[in-house]
Amino acid sequence: MHLRGIFPPMATPFTADGEAIDVDALKHNLDRWLATGLAGFVLLGSNGEAAYIDEDEADTLVAEVRSHVPAGRLVIVGTGRESTRATIGASRRAAGLGADAALVRVPGAFKTQMTADALVRHYTAVADASPIPVILYNFAAAFGVNLPTDAVATLSAHPNIVGLKESGGDVAQVAEQVAATPGDFAVVVGAAPALYASLCVGARGGVVAVANVAPDACVRLYELTVAGRHQEALALQRALAPLARAVTATYGVAGLKAAMTLAGYRGGQPRSPLLPAPPAALSALSARLLALQQFFEGPHVHTA
Amino acid sequence: MHLRGIFPPMATPFTADGEAIDVDALKHNLDRWLATGLAGFVLLGSNGEAAYIDEDEADTLVAEVRSHVPAGRLVIVGTGRESTRATIGASRRAAGLGADAALVRVPGAFKTQMTADALVRHYTAVADASPIPVILYNFAAAFGVNLPTDAVATLSAHPNIVGLKESGGDVAQVAEQVAATPGDFAVVVGAAPALYASLCVGARGGVVAVANVAPDACVRLYELTVAGRHQEALALQRALAPLARAVTATYGVAGLKAAMTLAGYRGGQPRSPLLPAPPAALSALSARLLALQQFFEGPHVHTA
Amino acid sequence: MHLRGIFPPMATPFTADGEAIDVDALKHNLDRWLATGLAGFVLLGSNGEAAYIDEDEADTLVAEVRSHVPAGRLVIVGTGRESTRATIGASRRAAGLGADAALVRVPGAFKTQMTADALVRHYTAVADASPIPVILYNFAAAFGVNLPTDAVATLSAHPNIVGLKESGGDVAQVAEQVAATPGDFAVVVGAAPALYASLCVGARGGVVAVANVAPDACVRLYELTVAGRHQEALALQRALAPLARAVTATYGVAGLKAAMTLAGYRGGQPRSPLLPAPPAALSALSARLLALQQFFEGPHVHTA
Amino acid sequence: MHLRGIFPPMATPFTADGEAIDVDALKHNLDRWLATGLAGFVLLGSNGEAAYIDEDEADTLVAEVRSHVPAGRLVIVGTGRESTRATIGASRRAAGLGADAALVRVPGAFKTQMTADALVRHYTAVADASPIPVILYNFAAAFGVNLPTDAVATLSAHPNIVGLKESGGDVAQVAEQVAATPGDFAVVVGAAPALYASLCVGARGGVVAVANVAPDACVRLYELTVAGRHQEALALQRALAPLARAVTATYGVAGLKAAMTLAGYRGGQPRSPLLPAPPAALSALSARLLALQQFFEGPHVHTA
C-alpha cells in the first residue's frame, strides 16, 4: 500500500429531502475527480458527515464508490466508532466491500478515560481483527482527545497499522510523529493551511477538504514540494489558504458543499442540525474560488 | 409529567464477553432500586455507555426496563443522536416501547457550527416530531458544545419540551437556567458534587451516577433539602461527595460499575475501549462506600 | 482575625488623565461604603486594576485607605506578585502601612511549572515572612493556574494562613475546599452569581465586584443566608445576578466603574489598555441598577 | 533595522542567593555567544524571567548588556507591561540605555476585554511614544490572549512597528501573518520545534530558548534553510528538537539554565517560585546535549 499524495475527505451528497445518499451526484463528482491527479478518496470522514450517516447508508456509499473507482486509486473508509467492537465490525464490512484501508478515528466518548494505554489497546484490537490495513486518525480539537506521539510510535510497529492522518495543523507535532515512526509509516495531514509546511517536515500527503473543490491545486502543491520547488510551492500554499479556511474553519461542511456546487460539482446541502450556508458565504466562497483560479491555471469555477 | 427527585443514569450491565446486555443482571439491579425512593430511571445516558450500544440493543434495553418498572416511576430514555433525523427516529422508537420522556443530548459532531440558532432548530424539530416529552441535555465538557441559557429559555416555551438535564456542575449557570424558564420547566442536575447547592438555587432533582450505588443517600439528600433542613442536607452532601467523585471524575464508568458490584448490585465491566477498574480503584471505592455507610444508616456495602 | 461577611474588591479611582490615584474620589467612595454593613475592603485585587498600578502608587493607596477606615473594618491588600521575593516585599510594606491581611494571588507567569509543590513552597515562604496573616487567592480563569484543593488543605495548617478567596464560581470546588480545611479557616468567594450557593455550602463571605455598587444588597443577601431565610436569600440572589454579571463578565472593570458612577459613587475610567464602557453598556447598566432598586429598598441609583 | 537570523531570549543569571543579577556570569555568557553567528539578543523575555525582575534590575541588565555588545548585534528589550503607560515608560528607559528595539508582549491582565480594538490602540500608543522600533510579541498560551492576524496586519502599517515575535508554534498562523504583512515587516518565531517549518513559510528568524545553549546549531539551521538546503535543514531540525523541547515545555527555565551550565555557560538557578531542575532533568539534558553534539560538529558540552 502506497499512502502518499492528495486525497479529498469526500463530501457525501444527499438527495434534496436529505433522506438518502444521492448516487447520481456521487458519480458525477467521482468522474470529475478521477480526471485529476488525486491519489484516491477518503470516505466517511468528518467532512463526509459520517456522524450523520446510518450504518446501511455507509455500506451503500462504500460499495458505490468502490465500483466506480479503478484499482489504481485508493479507497480509504472511515470505520472508527466509539466502541472497539463496532469499529471492528465496520472495518470488516468495509473490507468486504472492497475498501483498501480503514481510517480509524480516536474514540472520544469518555475523554478523561482515554489514556495512552486504552488507546493502544483499542487500536491494537482493531488492527488485529481488520482484514485491511488501518490508518490512525488524530484530531484533538474535534474528538476531544489527543493521541500521544508515544502511542503513535508504539502502534507504528504493528504490521497492520500503516499510517496516521493528523488533522490538528500543528506542524511541530507532525515533525515529531514523522521522527518517531519508521520510514514506511506514512503521516498525512488533514489541515490544508499547514499542508506545505507539513510536507517540508516529512508528511507524505494530505487529506484536505479543499481537495474536494480544487483538486488540481492541491495535487500541484504536493508535486512542487516533492520536486523541491519550494518558492513555487509556498506561493501556491498562500493562494490556496483563504479558500481552504473558508471551507473548513469559517463555514464548515455547508461551505464546503456550497463551494463544490460553485465549482461545478454537485454538493447539495448538509444534513440537519448543520444549517445551509448563508448568502454571505456564497459570495465569499465565489470570490476565493475566483482568486485561486486567477492564480492557478485550471478552470475551478463553473461558468454555466 | 412530574420531573423531580432522584434518578440514576442507569449503568448498563453486559454479559461477561461484552457482546450483549445482561438482562438478568439488569432485573436484579432494578428490583433493588425499586425498593428505594428513586423517582425513575434514565436509560442510555453517558453513564449507560450509550455510545457503545447498537440501536437494536438500545431497543431491547428500553423494552426490558419498561416491562419491569411500574407506571409510577418514570422511564426516561436517551435518544439524542448526532443528526436530527436519527434523533427523531430514536425518540419515536423509544415512545413506541413505552418510554415516558426522551432525553436529547446536545449534538457535538461539528462543534464550531453548533450555534444557538442551529441548536434551537434541532431541538424544535425533534420536539415537534417526538410523541413523548423532550428533556434537553447539556454537558459542555463531554459534548464539546454549551447550550446557551438564551436557547434554553427559547426552547422552554415549546409545549413538548419539559425540562433540562444540566451536567456541568456550574451552580450559577443552573441558577440562571431556573430564572430564565417557567415554573413548570424542570432543571435537574447531573453532577452529584453540586447536587445540594443546585437544589438550593431551584433545581428540581438530580440525575447523578452515584444514585446507581447509593440511591437512599441521594434520595435523602433531596428530601432534606426540600424540607428546608439545610444543615443536615449539607452534612450529607459532604459525606456523599468523595464517593460521587470516585465513580465519575476519577474512575469513570469502570469505577461506577465496580462500586455497584461492591454494593451488591451486578455491575460487570464496561465495554472496550474503556478499561476495567484497576485494583487501586477497588480499595478506594470500598473505603468510600464504607465511610458513607458509617455516616448514613442504610446497608450500602454488600456484606456477603 | 474574623474573615466573614461582604467585602468589595475596591475599584481604584484615577484622575481624569489617568496618571494618578484620585484620592478625593477614593474618600468619597469610602464614606459611602462605611455607612453600610460591609465587613471591610479588599484593595489591589483584579478589580482594583492592581496590574496597572505602580508599587509607589500601591503604597499611597494603602496608606490613604487605612487612615480613612476605622479599625473595626478589615483592610485586606493584594500583595501577590509573580516572584516570591517581590510578594514578600509587598506584604511587608502593606503590613507597615497598617493592612490587616495580605491577599496573595496564585503566580501565573510559568503556568506549566506551577505544580502543587511549587505553589506550597511559594505560599509557605510568603506566610513565614509576612508580618500579617495571608489569604490565598485562587482564580484559575484569570491567572491560568488552579490551586489544587490538596494544596489548600496543606497550606491551611500554616498558622499565618487564615483563608482563601476562590473566584472561580465552581460551588462544588468551594464545598470541597471548606470540607478539606479546619473550621477556623475561612473560604470566601469572588463570584457574585455563585454567592448564595457558596454560602449554602459553607463559604464565610464574599469579595464580589458588585459590592462596590450595591453593598447593601450584598450584605443583606449574606445576612439572610446566615439567618436561614433561604427563600428570601435566593430571591435576592436572582435579583442581584444580572447586575453582577454586567459589572464583571460582560463589561469588566469599565462597566464596574460606570455602574459606580451611575449609582452615585465616583468611578471614573479604567487605565489603558482597558477601554471606557461603550454607550450600550451605560443603558444596560442603568436598567439593571433600576431593576435591583425596584426589588430592593435602598436608593442605589443616583437621582441627581 | 535588519531583524533576521537567530536570537537567544537571553536567560538572566542571578547570584547564588537569588537577590541580584550576576553581572560576571552575564559577561561570561555574552563573550561565548558573541563568538557565534547570533544576530543579537532578546533581553527580558519570558525565558529571561522578566516577570521576576524589578524595574531597576531591568535597567541594570540593559545597560550591562548594551555596554558589552557591539553595535553590529541587535539588543532587543522586553518592555511590555500590563498598562499602556508602564509599557511606554519601560520603552523610553530601554531606548535611553541604548536598546535597538522594544519587544512588547500582549497584555493579558483582563483577557476577556482585550479585544482587537483594545490591542490595536495599546500598540499604537506605545509605538507612537517609543523612541525605538517596536516588535509585537504574541504567545497566546502564555499570555492568555491571541493577537488576531487582522490586528497584526493593521499594526504592520505603523512606521514604528517593525516585526512580530510569534511564539505559539502554529506554522499555519505564521504563514498567515507573513502573507498579511508587508515584505519589510519581519515575523520571527519563538518556538524551536517549529523553526524550520516557519522559515519555510516566510519567517525571517527565530528567538528560541535553545539558542542560549546551542547557538551554532540554531544559526546553522537558519543558514541551511535560507540557502535552500532543505534536506540538511530538516535533519538538523530533527536533531535539535529533543533538546529544544526539554529546555522549554518539559523542564522550563530551570531546565534551560541547567542545560546552559552543562554546556559551559553560567546558568545558575531561576528565582522562586520556580524550582531548581530535579536530578532527572540533569541526566535527560546531558543525554540530549550529547546527542546533538554527536549530530553536529561543534563542542556544545563542557568537558571540564
Side-chain angles (χ1 to χ4, degrees):
Chain A
M1 203 188 140
H2 203 62
L3 181 61
R4 58 189 61 201
I6 301 297
F7 302 78
M10 198 186 80
T12 308
F14 297 110
T15 53
D17 62 1
E19 288 299 314
I21 292 174
D22 184 338
V23 176
D24 284 346
L26 177 67
K27 290 178 180 171
H28 170 87
N29 295 345
L30 285 169
D31 285 338
R32 287 198 52 175
W33 288 324
L34 287 169
T36 71
L38 291 172
F41 303 91
V42 170
L43 281 58
L44 296 167
S46 304
N47 282 293
E49 294 172 72
Y52 300 160
I53 291 178
D54 298 336
E55 295 288 357
D56 55 347
E57 292 179 323
D59 291 350
T60 299
L61 184 74
V62 176
E64 291 287 352
V65 171
R66 179 72 285 175
S67 73
H68 212 75
V69 171
R73 314 251 196 164
L74 295 179
V75 174
I76 301 168
V77 177
T79 63
R81 303 292 186 273
E82 288 294 345
S83 74
T84 307
R85 64 194 287 276
T87 302
I88 290 172
S91 301
R92 286 177 171 157
R93 282 167 28 225
L97 294 164
D100 293 302
L103 180 70
V104 180
R105 50 160 281 188
V106 170
F110 295 94
K111 296 173 178 55
T112 58
Q113 305 294 323
M114 289 300 101
T115 58
D117 183 29
L119 293 170
V120 166
R121 287 168 190 252
H122 172 70
Y123 277 115
T124 300
V126 172
D128 286 348
S130 171
I132 48 177
V134 166
I135 301 168
L136 313 173
Y137 181 8
N138 191 37
F139 192 3
F143 308 146
V145 176
N146 189 46
L147 184 63
T149 299
D150 286 353
V152 172
T154 301
L155 291 166
S156 69
H158 192 291
N160 204 29
I161 299 180
V162 300
L164 163 71
K165 177 186 175 193
E166 170 60 56
S167 290
D170 179 339
V171 178
Q173 185 173 359
V174 170
E176 286 178 36
Q177 291 161 341
V178 171
T181 52
D184 60 353
F185 180 90
V187 178
V188 294
V189 294
L195 179 55
Y196 164 67
S198 297
L199 294 170
C200 284
V201 301
R204 298 293 174 79
V207 182
V208 290
V210 73
N212 280 288
V213 183
D216 289 321
C218 297
V219 170
R220 181 71 173 276
L221 172 50
Y222 171 76
E223 292 172 345
L224 287 169
T225 312
V226 169
R229 294 162 66 181
H230 283 272
Q231 290 309 312
E232 292 164 87
L234 178 54
L236 182 49
Q237 169 75 62
R238 285 185 187 163
L240 192 60
L243 178 62
R245 284 194 299 273
V247 299
T248 52
T250 312
Y251 301 115
V253 173
L256 174 61
K257 288 185 154 182
M260 288 174 66
T261 300
L262 289 167
Y265 295 90
R266 291 176 60 182
Q269 301 296 351
R271 275 184 168 164
S272 176
L274 286 180
L275 301 177
L282 300 185
S283 55
L285 290 164
S286 293
R288 292 175 186 201
L289 277 165
L290 201 65
L292 179 60
Q293 188 182 24
Q294 287 166 346
F295 177 88
F296 194 57
E297 59 269 21
H300 296 295
V301 175
H302 188 51
T303 55
Chain B
M1 200 184 145
H2 203 63
L3 182 61
R4 57 190 60 201
I6 301 296
F7 301 79
M10 198 187 79
T12 307
F14 297 111
T15 54
D17 62 2
E19 289 299 314
I21 291 173
D22 184 338
V23 177
D24 284 345
L26 177 68
K27 290 178 179 171
H28 170 87
N29 294 345
L30 285 169
D31 285 339
R32 288 199 50 176
W33 288 323
L34 287 168
T36 71
L38 291 172
F41 303 91
V42 170
L43 280 58
L44 296 166
S46 305
N47 283 293
E49 295 172 72
Y52 300 160
I53 290 178
D54 299 335
E55 295 289 356
D56 55 347
E57 291 178 323
D59 291 351
T60 300
L61 184 74
V62 176
E64 291 287 353
V65 171
R66 180 72 281 178
S67 73
H68 212 75
V69 172
R73 314 250 196 165
L74 295 179
V75 174
I76 300 169
V77 177
T79 63
R81 303 291 186 273
E82 288 294 343
S83 74
T84 308
R85 66 194 286 276
T87 303
I88 290 172
S91 300
R92 287 177 171 157
R93 282 167 29 226
L97 294 164
D100 293 301
L103 180 69
V104 179
R105 49 161 282 187
V106 171
F110 295 95
K111 295 174 178 55
T112 59
Q113 306 294 323
M114 289 300 102
T115 58
D117 183 29
L119 294 170
V120 167
R121 287 168 190 252
H122 172 70
Y123 277 114
T124 301
V126 172
D128 286 348
S130 172
I132 47 176
V134 165
I135 301 167
L136 312 174
Y137 181 9
N138 191 38
F139 192 3
F143 308 146
V145 176
N146 188 46
L147 183 64
T149 299
D150 286 353
V152 173
T154 300
L155 291 166
S156 69
H158 192 291
N160 204 29
I161 300 180
V162 300
L164 162 72
K165 178 186 175 193
E166 170 59 57
S167 290
D170 178 338
V171 178
Q173 185 173 358
V174 170
E176 287 178 34
Q177 292 162 340
V178 171
T181 52
D184 60 352
F185 181 90
V187 178
V188 295
V189 295
L195 179 55
Y196 163 68
S198 297
L199 294 171
C200 285
V201 300
R204 299 292 174 79
V207 181
V208 290
V210 72
N212 280 288
V213 183
D216 290 321
C218 297
V219 170
R220 181 72 175 276
L221 171 51
Y222 170 77
E223 291 171 346
L224 286 169
T225 311
V226 169
R229 295 162 65 180
H230 284 273
Q231 291 309 313
E232 291 164 87
L234 177 55
L236 181 50
Q237 169 74 63
R238 285 186 188 163
L240 192 59
L243 178 62
R245 283 195 301 272
V247 298
T248 53
T250 313
Y251 300 116
V253 173
L256 173 61
K257 289 185 154 181
M260 289 174 65
T261 300
L262 290 166
Y265 295 89
R266 291 177 58 183
Q269 299 297 351
R271 276 184 167 165
S272 173
L274 286 179
L275 301 177
L282 300 185
S283 55
L285 290 163
S286 293
R288 291 174 187 202
L289 278 164
L290 201 64
L292 179 61
Q293 188 182 23
Q294 288 166 344
F295 177 87
F296 194 57
E297 58 269 22
H300 297 293
V301 175
H302 190 50
T303 54
Chain C
M1 204 189 139
H2 202 62
L3 182 61
R4 57 190 60 201
I6 301 297
F7 300 79
M10 198 187 78
T12 308
F14 297 111
T15 54
D17 62 1
E19 289 299 314
I21 292 174
D22 184 338
V23 177
D24 284 345
L26 177 67
K27 290 178 180 171
H28 169 88
N29 295 345
L30 286 170
D31 285 338
R32 287 198 51 175
W33 287 324
L34 288 169
T36 72
L38 290 172
F41 303 91
V42 169
L43 280 58
L44 296 167
S46 305
N47 282 293
E49 294 173 71
Y52 300 161
I53 290 177
D54 299 335
E55 295 288 355
D56 55 347
E57 292 179 322
D59 291 350
T60 299
L61 184 74
V62 176
E64 292 287 353
V65 171
R66 179 72 284 175
S67 73
H68 212 75
V69 171
R73 315 250 196 165
L74 295 179
V75 174
I76 301 169
V77 177
T79 63
R81 303 292 187 272
E82 289 294 344
S83 74
T84 307
R85 65 194 286 277
T87 301
I88 290 172
S91 301
R92 287 177 171 157
R93 281 167 29 226
L97 293 164
D100 294 301
L103 179 70
V104 179
R105 50 161 282 188
V106 171
F110 295 94
K111 296 173 178 55
T112 59
Q113 306 294 323
M114 288 301 102
T115 59
D117 183 28
L119 293 170
V120 167
R121 287 168 189 252
H122 172 69
Y123 277 114
T124 301
V126 172
D128 285 348
S130 172
I132 48 177
V134 166
I135 302 168
L136 312 173
Y137 180 10
N138 191 38
F139 192 4
F143 308 145
V145 176
N146 189 47
L147 183 64
T149 299
D150 285 354
V152 173
T154 301
L155 291 166
S156 69
H158 192 291
N160 204 29
I161 299 180
V162 299
L164 163 71
K165 177 185 175 193
E166 170 59 56
S167 291
D170 179 338
V171 178
Q173 186 173 359
V174 171
E176 286 178 35
Q177 291 161 340
V178 171
T181 52
D184 60 353
F185 182 89
V187 178
V188 294
V189 294
L195 178 55
Y196 164 68
S198 297
L199 295 170
C200 285
V201 301
R204 299 292 174 79
V207 182
V208 290
V210 73
N212 280 287
V213 182
D216 289 321
C218 297
V219 170
R220 181 72 173 275
L221 171 50
Y222 171 76
E223 291 171 347
L224 287 169
T225 312
V226 169
R229 294 162 65 180
H230 282 273
Q231 290 309 312
E232 292 164 87
L234 178 54
L236 181 49
Q237 169 74 63
R238 284 185 189 164
L240 192 60
L243 178 62
R245 284 195 299 273
V247 300
T248 52
T250 313
Y251 300 116
V253 173
L256 173 61
K257 289 186 153 181
M260 287 174 67
T261 300
L262 289 167
Y265 295 89
R266 291 177 59 183
Q269 301 295 351
R271 275 184 168 164
S272 175
L274 286 179
L275 301 177
L282 299 185
S283 55
L285 290 164
S286 293
R288 292 175 186 200
L289 278 165
L290 201 64
L292 179 60
Q293 188 182 23
Q294 287 166 346
F295 177 89
F296 194 57
E297 59 269 20
H300 296 295
V301 177
H302 189 50
T303 56
Chain D
M1 203 188 138
H2 203 63
L3 182 61
R4 56 189 61 201
I6 301 297
F7 301 78
M10 198 187 79
T12 307
F14 297 110
T15 54
D17 62 1
E19 290 299 315
I21 292 173
D22 184 339
V23 177
D24 284 346
L26 177 68
K27 290 178 179 171
H28 170 87
N29 294 345
L30 285 170
D31 286 339
R32 288 199 49 177
W33 288 324
L34 287 169
T36 72
L38 291 172
F41 303 90
V42 169
L43 280 58
L44 296 167
S46 304
N47 283 293
E49 294 173 72
Y52 300 159
I53 291 178
D54 300 335
E55 295 289 356
D56 56 347
E57 291 178 323
D59 291 349
T60 300
L61 184 74
V62 176
E64 290 288 352
V65 171
R66 180 71 283 176
S67 73
H68 212 74
V69 171
R73 315 250 196 164
L74 294 179
V75 174
I76 300 169
V77 177
T79 62
R81 302 291 187 273
E82 288 294 344
S83 74
T84 308
R85 65 193 287 275
T87 303
I88 290 172
S91 300
R92 287 178 171 156
R93 281 167 28 226
L97 293 165
D100 292 302
L103 180 70
V104 179
R105 49 160 283 187
V106 170
F110 295 95
K111 296 173 177 55
T112 59
Q113 306 295 324
M114 288 301 101
T115 59
D117 183 29
L119 293 170
V120 167
R121 286 168 191 252
H122 172 69
Y123 277 114
T124 301
V126 172
D128 286 347
S130 172
I132 48 176
V134 165
I135 301 168
L136 312 173
Y137 180 10
N138 191 38
F139 191 3
F143 307 146
V145 176
N146 188 46
L147 183 64
T149 300
D150 286 352
V152 173
T154 300
L155 291 166
S156 70
H158 192 291
N160 203 30
I161 300 180
V162 300
L164 163 71
K165 177 185 175 192
E166 171 59 55
S167 290
D170 178 338
V171 178
Q173 185 172 358
V174 170
E176 287 178 34
Q177 291 161 340
V178 171
T181 52
D184 60 352
F185 181 90
V187 178
V188 295
V189 295
L195 179 56
Y196 163 67
S198 297
L199 294 171
C200 285
V201 300
R204 299 291 174 80
V207 182
V208 290
V210 72
N212 279 289
V213 183
D216 289 322
C218 296
V219 171
R220 181 71 174 277
L221 171 50
Y222 170 77
E223 291 172 346
L224 287 169
T225 311
V226 169
R229 294 163 66 179
H230 283 273
Q231 291 308 313
E232 292 163 87
L234 178 54
L236 181 49
Q237 169 74 61
R238 285 185 188 162
L240 192 59
L243 178 62
R245 283 195 301 273
V247 298
T248 53
T250 313
Y251 300 116
V253 173
L256 173 61
K257 288 186 154 180
M260 287 174 66
T261 301
L262 289 166
Y265 296 89
R266 291 176 59 182
Q269 300 297 350
R271 276 184 167 165
S272 174
L274 287 179
L275 301 177
L282 299 185
S283 55
L285 290 164
S286 294
R288 291 173 188 202
L289 277 165
L290 201 64
L292 179 61
Q293 187 182 25
Q294 288 166 346
F295 177 87
F296 194 57
E297 59 268 22
H300 297 293
V301 176
H302 190 51
T303 54

